[in-house]
Amino acid sequence: MIRFGVLMVNAMKKRIRADFKVTKKLAALISRNRQSLALQYLDKIIGSDYKLFRKDEGFIEYRRAALQFKIDLLVEWKRYSEALAWTCLECEINPENVFAQAMKKQLKHMLLMEDLEYRLPESPTKERVFAINWDDVAGMRELKLTLESDLILPLLEPEIYRQYKVPFPNGILFYGPPGCGKTFIAKKLASMLKYYFMELKPSDLASIYVHGTQEKIGETFREAQEKAPAIIFFDELDAFIPNRGGGLFHSYSSEVNEFLVQLNDCSKRNILVIGATNYLNHVDAAVRRPGRFDKKIYVGPPDLDARIEAVKNFMKGRPTAKIDYYTILGPRELYSYADLELIVNEAARRALRGRVPISSEHFNAAFGEISPSITLEMIREMSEE
């Protein structure tokens, strides 16, 4: 099921119970490209008039989340004029909604470029692309919406956010199960924002000398400042800056302190720091506080659209029978991208034995043999602070 249902539940502060079966219905409509029905589903939420909850803040946020989700879908489907109309309506009703104000400006710019292309077909605008472009990232819509509202739009439309005194993000902490695309999303953000990208693993900063790692951390941030605007992506952040509650060596503690010093006010130097970890509480508490890593964003297992797209990519170039990916992948909610690649390889091995194209039968057999590497208990533990 897509996690948009969870977003709605949280926004409503549990005053209204969300039915996850209904959420599955929305996911199914989107996956099958039933655009009209998916938009009608959201319109029922946006236009609902439950008098009992009309003035309830949670219910207002619930409806606003549905509207932002609808705008996001229209943009994804390249229905920019409709997206702009709904965005303008939201700006009129709720002028304090900075997400809508920033999106409105981006959409107007996009439609202006489209109009120029029509009027001047030979102009350089012919290769226009909407700044927020998720074309190669299937599904994961709640994650995309969070990144757009909390990160991408503040950086694309800084003046609007300054007007409302909304601070720019200093650091983003991705957490969640391995093999779910944290590194890919970080690279996609750099590409979308046109930021210089630096990816570091623990081994990149390791040193045999005392304070050697501390010096490398400083050099990394200096390079990012020279190349700014830049994104520094720290994979396995808990290995760089582990929780100091466990009694670390003095030199190790100094490395954490150096990282904290460099992290302060990164946004003022046009540097965005993104960290990735599996477990939130494995990262030092001083790093997780607001002002350093301002946002903690869960990157979970791929949703239905993402699973279908991933499996199709893994299947490219292989002999394939007609496969109903929706039916096969619908109930496989806890499989990571790495798990799905393993499933495809196992299905291919089974088909190879009989020298036949890979079919749904081979997939079902592979799923029967290989369990997901992620459990609900793991997800709960990863979110604990």
Side-chain angles (χ1 to χ4, degrees):
M1 73 191 76
I2 60 174
R3 292 184 66 243
F4 181 60
V6 179
L7 174 67
M8 293 192 292
V9 174
N10 290 338
M12 295 177 68
K13 301 174 184 176
K14 299 181 181 178
R15 287 185 171 89
I16 302 175
R17 294 182 61 85
D19 185 347
F20 286 112
K21 291 181 180 177
V22 174
T23 305
K24 282 186 176 181
K25 178 182 177 181
L26 178 59
L29 293 173
I30 295 170
S31 295
R32 294 180 180 274
N33 201 33
R34 305 284 177 81
Q35 296 185 12
S36 296
L37 293 175
L39 294 174
Q40 287 173 24
Y41 176 94
L42 289 166
D43 285 341
K44 288 179 182 178
I45 300 171
I46 297 164
S48 57
D49 189 25
Y50 305 122
K51 294 181 181 179
L52 180 62
F53 300 107
R54 184 178 294 174
K55 295 181 180 179
D56 183 271
E57 285 297 323
F59 187 65
I60 292 170
E61 286 303 315
Y62 163 68
R63 293 169 70 174
R64 183 174 294 179
L67 175 57
Q68 291 184 352
F69 190 78
K70 175 174 182 173
I71 292 168
D72 216 47
L73 281 177
L74 289 169
V75 169
E76 179 182 329
W77 294 331
K78 296 180 171 45
R79 295 164 64 170
Y80 299 121
S81 297
E82 292 174 71
L84 178 60
W86 281 96
T87 306
C88 289
L89 178 62
E90 171 62 10
C91 289
E92 211 171 301
I93 297 172
N94 299 297
E96 76 285 355
N97 185 342
V98 288
F99 168 87
Q101 296 285 354
M103 181 64 83
K104 175 182 172 182
K105 190 171 179 181
Q106 284 288 310
L107 286 165
K108 279 187 171 182
H109 178 73
M110 180 63 189
L111 289 170
L112 174 62
M113 294 298 101
E114 191 175 62
D115 184 57
L116 284 174
E117 178 185 331
Y118 175 76
R119 294 169 184 268
L120 305 168
E122 302 303 321
S123 72
T125 60
K126 195 162 187 175
E127 296 299 321
R128 78 190 189 286
V129 176
F130 187 56
I132 302 175
N133 178 11
W134 297 106
D135 283 355
D136 52 352
V137 184
M140 311 305 284
R141 287 180 176 81
E142 184 193 339
L143 173 63
K144 293 174 185 175
L145 192 60
T146 299
L147 290 170
E148 287 170 20
S149 60
D150 293 346
L151 176 63
I152 298 170
L153 284 171
L155 294 172
L156 290 177
E157 301 292 346
E159 291 305 319
I160 292 175
Y161 283 78
R162 285 195 190 101
Q163 180 183 350
Y164 285 86
K165 296 184 178 179
V166 175
F168 298 130
N170 199 56
I172 304 289
L173 183 55
F174 289 159
Y175 70 94
C180 292
K182 291 186 281 291
T183 303
F184 177 75
I185 292 294
K187 289 180 178 177
K188 180 63 181 176
L189 286 171
S191 172
M192 198 183 301
L193 294 167
K194 296 180 172 57
Y195 273 36
Y196 180 73
F197 185 74
M198 301 173 66
E199 179 182 356
L200 292 110
K201 298 180 174 62
S203 58
D204 296 327
L205 295 181
S207 174
I208 60 173
Y209 302 105
V210 175
H211 303 308
T213 297
Q214 189 175 343
E215 292 176 8
K216 287 186 176 182
I217 290 171
E219 290 170 4
T220 297
F221 279 86
R222 282 192 291 274
E223 181 185 346
Q225 190 163 353
E226 290 172 4
K227 305 282 189 178
I231 287 177
I232 309 176
F233 176 66
F234 289 94
D235 199 8
E236 300 178 50
L237 186 67
D238 47 306
F240 286 111
I241 40 174
N243 201 319
R244 287 177 291 182
L248 297 175
F249 292 115
H250 174 70
S251 62
Y252 213 4
S253 185
S254 298
E255 292 163 9
V256 176
N257 287 333
E258 175 67 19
F259 186 88
L260 295 177
V261 170
Q262 294 290 346
L263 189 59
N264 287 334
D265 298 324
C266 270
S267 61
K268 295 178 181 176
R269 293 178 280 160
N270 283 329
I271 300 172
L272 174 66
V273 179
I274 302 178
T277 184
N278 299 138
Y279 293 86
L280 272 179
N281 59 14
H282 288 191
V283 177
D284 192 80
V287 177
R288 288 183 272 126
R289 74 166 177 77
R292 285 172 175 156
F293 279 102
D294 303 287
K295 297 290 179 181
K296 304 172 189 71
I297 298 177
Y298 174 71
V299 181
D303 59 18
L304 179 55
D305 276 0
R307 292 196 296 274
I308 291 174
E309 191 63 29
V311 169
K312 284 182 176 179
N313 283 333
F314 295 142
M315 287 290 289
K316 283 180 180 176
R318 306 182 196 233
T320 308
K322 187 176 180 180
I323 298 174
D324 184 353
Y325 289 109
Y326 176 82
T327 301
I328 292 172
L329 298 169
R332 317 296 181 180
E333 292 167 1
L334 292 176
Y335 283 83
S336 69
Y337 291 107
D339 294 335
L340 293 172
E341 186 174 13
L342 188 64
I343 290 289
V344 170
N345 290 336
E346 177 59 27
R349 271 191 288 269
R350 290 172 177 271
L352 177 62
R353 291 170 196 157
R355 298 293 195 276
V356 294
I358 305 167
S359 67
S360 299
E361 183 181 342
H362 299 119
F363 269 100
N364 288 328
F367 276 115
E369 183 177 307
I370 301 171
S371 299
S373 59
I374 302 166
T375 65
L376 292 174
E377 179 63 20
M378 284 173 58
I379 291 173
R380 186 189 65 78
E381 290 175 0
M382 288 172 179
S383 303
E384 290 177 353
E385 292 198 64

